[in-house]
Amino acid sequence: MVGIGGGIIYLIYLPIRDLLLKRGKLTLVRSRQINKIYILILLLFTIYQTYNAFFPSESFYKDEFENVTLRKIPESAEIVFKKSSYPDFHGDYASSSQIKLSKEDYNKLLNELNSDNQFTKNGQIISFEEFDYTLNNKDENNISASFIRSIKGEEDCYLYIGFYNDNQTIFVNKSIT
């Protein structure tokens, strides 16, 4: 996509470059420098996008929280562990995060989800590599409450939030298969 977008932009630039060369406002040496800088920018952008796809930033996991819970992430949220797989050709991927909240935000979120009809209480935990990683040294059996949210027409989407019994830690999982 970067190559196609970069190529289109370069095709738009060509008539402008030719006009500037013709009017003497751009030299061939400067044009070559611009081309090299442009290629370098495209290369660096591609490297950044690839890195970000394999190692998403915390904002990705905050967005996952909001997607799973349908709520804004609390100010007290601290992402402790996080892991996601790289999407395959069909867009299938899995992500998991261990998030530490203040006791107040933990209880508020738990109470909100308990009274929200969009969530199934005591939802089944589906274990996958990313979730096993974010569990770290915590025991899956100590998850005291869990919720699953289904999306009508998207049975291949697994949205899960689990509340650990320390009254601060939650696990947010998303899997699309």
Side-chain angles (χ1 to χ4, degrees):
M1 294 307 288
V2 172
I4 292 171
I8 290 171
I9 292 170
Y10 190 74
L11 288 174
I12 294 170
Y13 162 72
L14 282 177
I16 297 168
R17 180 201 66 181
D18 292 343
L19 183 64
L20 291 172
L21 284 170
K22 188 176 180 180
R23 292 188 179 170
K25 297 196 180 214
L26 181 67
T27 65
L28 283 174
V29 172
R30 179 65 70 188
S31 176
R32 284 189 204 107
Q33 288 174 339
I34 290 171
N35 289 344
K36 288 177 185 176
I37 290 170
Y38 183 67
I39 290 170
L40 180 64
I41 288 170
L42 289 178
L43 180 65
L44 291 174
F45 181 73
T46 302
I47 291 169
Y48 169 76
Q49 291 290 50
T50 303
Y51 178 83
N52 200 35
F54 283 103
F55 306 103
S57 66
E58 284 200 3
S59 65
F60 170 80
Y61 295 96
K62 289 177 180 180
D63 290 343
E64 292 286 87
F65 173 92
E66 292 177 4
N67 180 265
V68 171
T69 65
L70 302 175
R71 287 154 177 74
K72 292 279 185 195
I73 192 162
E75 290 289 324
S76 69
E78 175 189 338
I79 298 174
V80 181
F81 293 101
K82 60 188 185 214
K83 186 168 185 178
S84 75
S85 64
Y86 185 73
D88 66 11
F89 289 109
H90 304 288
D92 298 350
Y93 77 97
S95 75
S96 181
S97 58
Q98 181 185 133
I99 302 173
K100 185 176 180 180
L101 301 174
S102 69
K103 291 184 188 287
E104 296 80 24
D105 286 336
Y106 176 97
N107 289 322
K108 179 182 176 201
L109 181 62
L110 180 58
N111 290 334
E112 286 177 2
L113 294 182
N114 265 321
S115 61
D116 192 331
N117 295 343
Q118 298 175 83
F119 291 86
T120 304
K121 296 174 189 167
N122 299 318
Q124 178 187 4
I125 298 174
I126 296 177
S127 191
F128 49 92
E129 178 184 342
E130 292 75 15
F131 180 48
D132 293 341
Y133 175 82
T134 59
L135 269 172
N136 193 26
N137 60 356
K138 298 200 182 298
D139 185 359
E140 181 179 314
N141 296 320
N142 289 332
I143 294 177
S144 57
S146 60
F147 300 88
I148 293 175
R149 184 170 69 84
S150 300
I151 301 174
K152 194 172 189 170
E154 293 185 32
E155 287 73 30
D156 61 343
C157 187
Y158 172 73
L159 305 173
Y160 169 89
I161 181 167
F163 291 79
Y164 202 70
N165 66 1
D166 66 356
N167 292 326
Q168 285 189 300
T169 304
I170 61 170
F171 295 93
V172 177
N173 297 342
K174 182 175 180 181
S175 177
I176 299 175
T177 56

